[in-house]
Structures are given as C-alpha cells and as structure tokens.
C-alpha cells in the first residue's frame, strides 16, 4: 500500500501531492490494477490533512481513469502507468548516479536541477516523448548570469531586440 508524505513547504497543493505520489507509485509498479488505496481516514490519520483533500485527490485520479471508487468498499486501482518497474536496470543505474552525486557534495536541489535540465534536453515538455531535435535545445547564459535550458522563438525575438538596440 502507498504511504503519502505531505510537504507543507513545497508550494504544491496537498491534493496534487497525493495525485503525484499515486501516479509515481503506478509508474514504478508499486501499485497495480486491483490494489486498494488507503481510505481517506487512514490518510488523514497518517498526514493530519483534511479528509476532503484526500477525496479531491481521489476524484481527480478517478477522472483520469486510474482508480475506481466503490462506495462503502474503497478506492481501487483501475489501471497502471508502469513502464519502468522499480527493479529495472535503469532504476539501479539512476540510484548509483544519485549516490555519486550526493558523495560529490550535491544537495537535493542541485540534483533535481541537474536532472531536470537533462530531462529537458531529452524529452519534449508536452508529451514526454524523446526529443528528435536536440539542436534546438541549448544552454544559454546571458549577461545577467541566468541560465536557461531551452532555446525558443521567444528568446530569439528577445535576443534580436537587444541586438538591434530595442530596450524591451
């Protein structure tokens, strides 16, 4: 059974944290079709959140076709999202990489930023499909020292305006 961890300082709505954690468990094969999700009461007891928040999360999962709520019985997984089981070789390699990153002195935010940048280079933002146009993604460093991971039409227009003396 999945155990939810709520980060009240994340800036992510509590119900969305439950939805995201459930989807992660489905992707990793930790939840499978037929599995029962914890009851709202169990989640409330474990996390001290409002029961309506749990119900809102479960309704969203139901709208996504991932779970079925059976009145008086519970909420059950309808279908999985598993494409990379938790015991896959890729998971093992990623675990080893994370250990090396930690030993190299990177903290969680550093690792997250690095991993997100690599994901952005290899996957499109809209469908999670492997990117076929890797030349359109570059790392830009402007005079302000800020960095970006994507090169898009907006940054082209912005660069053109600055090179032509446009103050905007």
């Amino acid at each position: 059974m999945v155990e939810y961890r709520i980060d009240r300082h994340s800036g992510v709505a509590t119900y969305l944290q439950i939805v995201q954690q459930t989807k992660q468990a489905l992707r990793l094969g930790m939840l499978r079709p037929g599995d029962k999700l914890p009851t709202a009461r169990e989640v409330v007891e474990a996390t001290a959140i409002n029961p309506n928040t749990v119900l809102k999360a479960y309704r969203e999962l139901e709208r996504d076709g991932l779970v079925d709520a059976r009145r008086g019985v519970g909420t059950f997984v309808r279908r999985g999202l598993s494409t990379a089981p938790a015991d896959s070789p890729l998971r093992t390699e990623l675990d080893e990489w994370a250990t090396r990153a930690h030993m190299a002195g990177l903290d969680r935010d550093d690792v997250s930023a690095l991993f997100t940048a690599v994901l952005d280079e290899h996957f499109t933002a809209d469908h999670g499909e492997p990117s076929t146009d890797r030349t359109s993604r570059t790392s830009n460093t402007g005079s302000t020292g800020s960095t970006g991971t994507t090169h898009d039409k907006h940054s082209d227009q912005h660069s053109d305006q600055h090179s032509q003396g446009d103050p905007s």
Side-chain angles (χ1 to χ4, degrees), residues 5-12 14 17 21:
R5 294 174 313 280
I6 304 303
D7 181 355
R8 299 180 195 296
H9 304 290
S10 71
V12 176
T14 303
Q17 291 182 49
Q21 290 175 36

Side-chain angles (χ1 to χ4, degrees), residues 86-151:
D87 62 348
S88 77
L90 287 174
R91 168 71 163 80
T92 302
E93 290 176 34
L94 185 57
D95 184 56
E96 292 167 356
W97 177 85
T99 300
R100 289 193 313 273
H102 184 69
M103 291 174 63
L106 283 97
D107 66 16
R108 184 181 180 96
D109 290 337
D110 295 334
V111 170
S112 178
L114 184 59
F115 190 74
T116 300
V118 171
L119 285 177
D120 288 347
E121 288 177 17
H122 293 277
F123 295 88
T124 61
D126 52 352
H127 298 294
E129 299 293 328
S131 175
T132 55
D133 182 14
R134 296 195 60 204
T135 59
S136 70
R137 300 191 182 277
T138 61
S139 180
N140 300 321
T141 304
S143 59
T144 62
S146 63
T147 59
T149 57
T150 60
H151 186 81

Side-chain angles (χ1 to χ4, degrees), residues 30-93:
M30 296 164 58
L31 283 174
R32 296 194 154 109
D35 286 351
K36 183 178 179 183
L37 294 183
T39 65
R41 176 178 286 160
E42 290 169 338
V43 176
V44 168
E45 289 172 359
T47 61
I49 62 174
N50 188 303
N52 290 327
T53 302
V54 180
L55 297 174
K56 181 176 181 178
Y58 285 7
R59 279 192 305 271
E60 182 160 322
L61 291 165
E62 191 170 19
R63 274 193 303 272
D64 290 345
L66 299 173
V67 300
D68 281 322
R70 300 180 195 152
R71 191 165 189 84
V73 181
T75 303
F76 295 85
V77 174
R78 177 188 231 179
R79 66 180 179 87
L81 296 173
S82 181
T83 57
D87 62 348
S88 77
L90 287 174
R91 168 71 163 80
T92 302
E93 290 176 34

Side-chain angles (χ1 to χ4, degrees), residues 158-166:
H158 191 68
S159 295
D160 289 345
Q161 290 169 347
H162 278 290
S163 65
Q164 295 170 4
D166 186 347

